Amino acid sequence: MGYLGIGILILGVLTAVMGHTRTAQLKRMAHTLGLKYDPHLDGVLTEDQMMASCFFRQGKHHFKHVLTCKDSGAFIRICEDEITGAKLDSTSLLYTLVTVELTRGDFCPFILMPRRPRETVPSGSLPPELAEKYVLSAPADFTLPQELVGLLKAVPPCYLELTSYALIYHEFSVLPVDQIQPLRYRVIQIMKALVQNSKSSVAPATAPISDDLLQAQVSLKLQQAAPAFTRRSGGRWVYGLVLLFMLGSLLFLASYVLSHWITK
């Protein structure tokens, strides 16, 4: 009976560990908030908006743990985006990515990226508090709405890109599950500020810098974030090894108990 009790205890511990995995937590969140959960998707925007985005033309994107919800006037998806490809050297990158696709209204397209030291890429009009941190590639007469300026001052360095009908946002990191809901609200605020701003913005036919240069800049930012991903991925190996050890212990115990019972 003692061995049986130990076996039940190990099973209980194993069940508790499995219940606290990221996948289990995301599924519970989706159920609680009425979101749709998909283990993976081929795309998080319609094909035309993904093709129009500079971000999605860098490497190959694998979207997993996708949460989908519908806000007023838009579809929002939050996922883990794993990026691989020759343009990004041999290192895979993993970000918590948010995409928004409008069902009504539109955006004024632009790209906002963290600025590197001594970077000389031409930028659009940015307030002084953001000009030292970011590079803005936008139409010459475009200015960020004040609501967005306040949000950007309060968040970690981020990547923000708008096409005519879509928004792409990430913070160069994988966020804990308990930070996904605040992230969702943050992006909704950004979306609303920019949709309102686009009503009074008139975009000229050409952007201040070429599409090739934009792609090169996006690729460079992704490469710079690679070390952070490498550190995070190491933590997952630890959880995997612990889980394998527990499974091995359970199998050994079951074999031992069964062999002794059969003997008796």
Side-chain angles (χ1 to χ4, degrees):
M1 292 299 292
Y3 291 119
L4 182 60
I6 294 174
I8 293 173
L9 178 61
I10 293 177
L11 278 174
V13 172
L14 186 60
T15 302
V17 170
M18 294 297 292
H20 284 80
T21 63
R22 188 175 181 87
T23 300
Q25 291 180 59
L26 288 171
K27 287 181 177 179
R28 284 198 298 269
M29 172 184 286
H31 178 76
T32 301
L33 300 178
L35 311 177
K36 181 183 178 184
Y37 174 84
D38 292 288
H40 57 81
L41 287 178
D42 293 332
V44 289
L45 294 171
T46 53
E47 186 176 353
D48 61 329
Q49 294 306 301
M50 289 189 71
M51 291 297 295
S53 162
C54 219
F55 178 73
F56 290 122
R57 295 200 295 271
Q58 308 304 314
K60 187 173 183 180
H61 296 254
H62 305 270
F63 309 107
K64 51 190 179 181
H65 302 310
V66 184
L67 299 171
T68 304
C69 63
K70 189 178 187 303
D71 189 71
S72 177
F75 280 99
I76 302 172
R77 284 194 170 103
I78 305 171
C79 67
E80 290 180 16
D81 181 13
E82 184 176 7
I83 311 169
T84 58
K87 290 185 178 180
L88 304 171
D89 64 44
S90 59
T91 305
S92 296
L93 307 175
L94 187 66
Y95 301 142
T96 297
L97 178 72
V98 187
T99 62
V100 176
E101 188 151 9
L102 298 178
T103 56
R104 63 171 181 266
D106 59 5
F107 291 126
C108 177
F110 71 82
I111 297 178
L112 185 76
M113 297 182 289
R115 178 185 288 276
R116 292 179 299 139
R118 299 181 295 278
E119 188 164 14
T120 58
V121 177
S123 64
S125 176
L126 280 175
E129 57 267 41
L130 294 181
E132 294 183 358
K133 294 174 57 179
Y134 290 100
V135 173
L136 176 65
S137 303
D141 61 347
F142 177 80
T143 56
L144 294 177
Q146 194 57 42
E147 306 95 308
L148 180 57
V149 172
L151 283 167
L152 291 173
K153 289 167 61 178
V155 302
C158 64
Y159 176 91
L160 175 62
E161 178 178 357
L162 271 68
T163 67
S164 298
Y165 302 105
L167 180 154
I168 299 115
Y169 178 92
H170 68 75
E171 296 176 356
F172 296 96
S173 64
V174 178
L175 271 63
V177 174
D178 61 2
Q179 292 300 309
I180 288 180
Q181 184 70 338
L183 174 68
R184 174 187 168 197
Y185 287 138
R186 188 154 64 244
V187 172
I188 289 174
Q189 289 179 292
I190 292 173
M191 174 195 72
K192 290 180 177 179
L194 290 167
V195 170
Q196 293 171 357
N197 190 64
S198 70
K199 294 177 182 178
S200 59
S201 298
V202 179
T206 58
I209 62 177
S210 70
D211 186 63
D212 288 342
L213 183 54
L214 280 178
Q215 290 192 50
Q217 287 294 309
V218 173
S219 179
L220 181 59
K221 301 301 178 184
L222 295 177
Q223 291 182 56
Q224 290 177 327
F229 167 70
T230 303
R231 290 192 296 271
R232 289 186 195 94
S233 62
R236 297 192 174 190
W237 282 106
V238 173
Y239 288 116
L241 289 173
V242 171
L243 184 58
L244 286 174
F245 175 77
M246 295 183 68
L247 284 171
S249 299
L250 180 60
L251 291 173
F252 175 78
L253 178 62
S255 175
Y256 181 83
V257 171
L258 288 174
S259 64
H260 279 67
W261 281 357
I262 292 172
T263 302
K264 293 180 179 181

